Amino acid sequence: MELPFAESFKIKMVEPIRKSSRPEREQWIREAGYNLFGLKSERVFIDLLTDSGTGAMSDRQWSEMMLGDESYAGASSYFKMKEAILELLGFEHFLPTHQGRAAENVLFSVLIKEGDIIPGNSHFDTTKGHIEFRKAIAVDCTIDEAFDTTLSHPFKGNIDLEKLENILKSKGDKIPFIIVTVTCNSSGGQPVSIENMKMVRQLADKYGKIIVFDSARFAENAYFIKLREKGYQDKTIREIVREMFACADAMTMSAKKDAIVNMGGFIAMRSKELHAKASVFNIMFEGYITYGGMSGRDMNALAQGLYDGTEFNYLETRIRQVEYLGKRLMDYGIPVQQPTGGHAVFVDAKRFLPHLPKEEFQAQTLAVELYLEAGVRGVEIGTLLADRDPVSRENRYPVLELMRLAIPRRVYTNNHMDVVAVALKNIYDRRETIRKGFKIVTEAPIMRHFTVTLDRT
Ligand code: F0G
């Protein structure tokens, strides 16, 4: 008999989590303005709000914490990070930042000016926020297949080359760079194929543009390439990662994902000139160029995390757990983005609650229901996240209205996944009875989903 699959780690330290009753949760979520970000974490049983900064570090990473060099300038921790980035990702220059959006802030301060257009594959919300804050426009060139959750496609993160070339042709003078998000979070943690990256590179060269990879989940992307792309089965994750980044001129990194640290990020680039220009903004916004908002111990853990995160065994355990939850939900007939992504399962709220008007925030309604049912915290990736149009101030209704269940790295067991699956099944069985959604009470002018408060309609 073939042995079943099991995790490639054992557990050395544990953290208790608390269960609660439905009446308690009803009160807590009402007090939070029906915004899951507003909950105290101790009031959550299984926290799938994000996979960002929520992972468990390895013993090797914790050992590195003790070796951190806290010198203001020229710390050995900086050089450890530099070596890992050069060896694993192939970039000669880099700047540490405190997280991914800080990397965007610094790099975009150099590259973007008012009126620019930045094409890419479903830009993440902070990426889009930093583009729109500079009065520039993010144009989504993701393939159409990504917007049909019932369709199985191995690389739903891919860029539609025709859409990209059209915009390069018609608006080329306004485009400072192309952004490729690996994996593509907003479309469901979906990977981009190497073939697509290479084609984007060709187009970028044809039109004289640079490419920036938004790399938060680059290793998960590489895992999918190994499994799904012809000719890559026998390559190591690290070989694939090198081949991916060979298509980019620069990268921004939220190290809170695939470098498995609780805080940290960086920008890496080939151009010494770009590094020099970005250094000015790094010093202004983040810190001196050899620490950029990070402590030495955190840089050490990050460097080690890049090695941990690019090991096949780790990635297999990680992605098979996400797949496990996805499969359990599909077995119950619950509509999810197919195939399941790298870091999360995305439940299609439009198909889950089709009778609820989109103006009442279907995905948010589902996320609140799930919290009430079992103390599980997911997050809305839908109309609240999509914000209002910067010019018309009208709500932007995205094609996909999703509830994301993001799975922290090396944190929960499959028993936790079973609780999530059954909780959602219970809601699915009584979905017809969910007749009321939410209306907005207060909201911020940009990135409103973090702080919006709601009430029942
Ligand atoms: N790019 C992508 C693709 C992301 O998913 C994130 C963060 C960022 C950039 C920004 O990085 O948080 O370190 O500033 N995503 C988190 C999430 C917040 O929950 O998906 P950050």
Side-chain angles (χ1 to χ4, degrees), residues 245-260:
F245 283 113
C247 301
D249 299 284
M251 65 178 281
T252 54
M253 177 73 187
S254 169
K256 302 168 72 170
K257 285 88 170 171
D258 274 359
I260 329 172

Side-chain angles (χ1 to χ4, degrees), residues 269-325:
M269 63 281 269
R270 290 184 213 294
S271 158
K272 197 173 165 186
E273 195 196 339
L274 180 58
H275 178 267
K277 284 184 183 163
S279 294
V280 178
F281 292 101
N282 215 63
I283 293 168
M284 269 203 300
F285 297 144
E286 292 296 291
Y288 181 62
I289 55 172
T290 63
Y291 75 88
M294 295 186 73
S295 53
R297 54 181 170 270
D298 286 339
M299 290 195 279
N300 271 20
L302 195 166
Q304 180 59 45
L306 287 172
Y307 290 100
D308 280 20
T310 50
E311 278 174 10
F312 178 80
N313 286 346
Y314 151 73
L315 282 166
E316 187 183 35
T317 295
R318 154 81 178 148
I319 291 179
R320 284 183 70 140
Q321 181 171 51
V322 180
E323 209 177 28
Y324 174 81
L325 176 60

Side-chain angles (χ1 to χ4, degrees), residues 6 26 244 308 420 441:
E26 270 166 9
M244 283 166 54
D308 280 20
V420 178
V441 179

